[in-house]
Amino acid sequence: MNFLEERIQRDGIVKEGNVLKVDTFLNHQMDIGLFRQMGEEWKRRFAGTPINKILTIEASGIGIACIASEYFDVPVVFAKKSKSVNLDGGMYVAEVESFTHKCKNQVIVSKKFLGPEDRVLIIDDFLANGYALQGMISIVSQAGATVAGIGIAIEKGFQPGGRTIRNLGYHLESLAIVEDMDAETGKIWFQEQNENAG
Ligand code: 5GP
């Protein structure tokens, strides 16, 4: 098991409805030492890929993206959730259905911060059905920019997002892939990672 899988095994809590709670170290209280290991690992996995910007989505992506940016030495832009409908044309807009809150949000990124010259690494905490990623991919494509890679902390491999995104041809690196989990026993199984992940 790698460092993140070990931490999930130790501190993650399996909830009903396919929800994995990791709020003691990832998306409420944040373990910055762990975030550094994640940043280092993404840097290793995307070595040789030109990247000049990181894109994430509020709220839980922001912390990990900021620490990762220290390893890539690039700015971080986050897609903002917006309720307002009268957007002034200065924004890229995508609609994202929230896995955890079961509602739809518009997410926006100002046109000032993404353009055709950008090679973007998309970062997020979870990949479940892939809606958040599809929204961010849409924003990158509206900007005429390139998705250089996608870094996810925890992919739930039993949900379809990962397969969909890989089938679209993106270079997706998930640091931990949960193969299955059981709310009754609290057990979590991980997919073996076939390469020499640290
Ligand atoms: P997707 O859009 O891929 O269906 O879901 C990804 C988003 O939903 C992530 O940004 C994350 O915030 C949230 N999410 C999905 N599954 C889980 C989960 O099992 N636990 C937690 N804490 N968040 C999740």
Side-chain angles (χ1 to χ4, degrees), residues 18-22 27 57 60 97 99-100 124-133 156 181:
N18 284 337
V19 172
L20 177 61
K21 227 173 163 209
V22 288
N27 55 20
I57 185 164
S60 338
E97 190 175 319
F99 176 82
T100 34
D124 205 5
D125 59 343
F126 270 94
L127 171 54
N129 291 320
Y131 302 140
L133 274 186
K156 291 186 290 179
M181 57 190 204

Side-chain angles (χ1 to χ4, degrees), residues 4-191:
L4 183 59
E5 293 165 337
E6 274 171 15
R7 188 60 179 272
I8 296 165
Q9 192 72 267
R10 198 179 85 200
D11 293 333
I13 296 170
V14 183
K15 295 281 188 192
E16 292 294 340
N18 284 337
V19 172
L20 177 61
K21 227 173 163 209
V22 288
D23 60 354
T24 54
F25 60 95
L26 194 74
N27 55 20
H28 193 163
Q29 176 168 256
M30 297 183 283
D31 181 337
I32 302 304
L34 183 82
F35 285 18
R36 282 196 202 102
Q37 281 180 289
M38 290 163 48
E40 219 172 326
E41 181 59 18
W42 279 317
K43 178 68 186 171
R44 192 182 73 78
R45 294 191 187 196
F46 291 106
T49 304
I51 285 162
N52 71 330
K53 204 156 278 185
I54 289 176
L55 175 67
T56 188
I57 185 164
E58 71 173 342
S60 338
I62 297 175
I64 51 179
C66 288
I67 302 295
S69 82
E70 299 252 48
Y71 294 87
F72 290 87
D73 200 19
V74 299
V76 177
V77 178
F78 66 93
K80 286 184 178 221
K81 289 172 184 159
S82 158
K83 292 261 181 281
S84 74
V85 275
N86 57 343
L87 298 161
D88 61 3
M91 303 280 179
Y92 306 116
V93 185
E95 189 145 285
V96 173
E97 190 175 319
S98 162
F99 176 82
T100 34
H101 300 112
K102 311 278 178 233
C103 62
K104 280 192 178 173
N105 280 305
Q106 276 190 331
V107 296
I108 56 169
V109 169
S110 167
K111 289 185 175 172
K112 282 186 288 193
F113 303 128
L114 268 187
E117 68 289 356
D118 286 321
R119 295 189 50 87
V120 180
L121 174 63
I122 297 177
I123 287 208
D124 205 5
D125 59 343
F126 270 94
L127 171 54
N129 291 320
Y131 302 140
L133 274 186
Q134 300 271 16
M136 286 190 277
I137 290 169
S138 159
I139 281 174
V140 172
S141 93
Q142 289 170 47
T146 304
V147 177
I150 300 172
I152 294 291
I154 306 172
E155 175 179 335
K156 291 186 290 179
F158 52 87
Q159 289 177 279
R163 188 180 311 132
T164 308
I165 297 291
R166 287 188 182 90
N167 284 345
L168 290 169
Y170 294 106
H171 178 188
L172 166 63
E173 292 287 348
S174 301
L175 302 185
I177 303 180
V178 175
E179 199 168 71
D180 204 359
M181 57 190 204
D182 181 14
E184 217 163 283
T185 59
K187 275 198 81 163
I188 302 168
W189 293 267
F190 294 99
Q191 189 173 305

Side-chain angles (χ1 to χ4, degrees), residues 2-3 41 44-45 173 192-198:
N2 72 23
F3 66 94
E41 181 59 18
R44 192 182 73 78
R45 294 191 187 196
E173 292 287 348
E192 290 236 354
Q193 307 229 8
N194 57 6
E195 40 94 54
N196 47 347

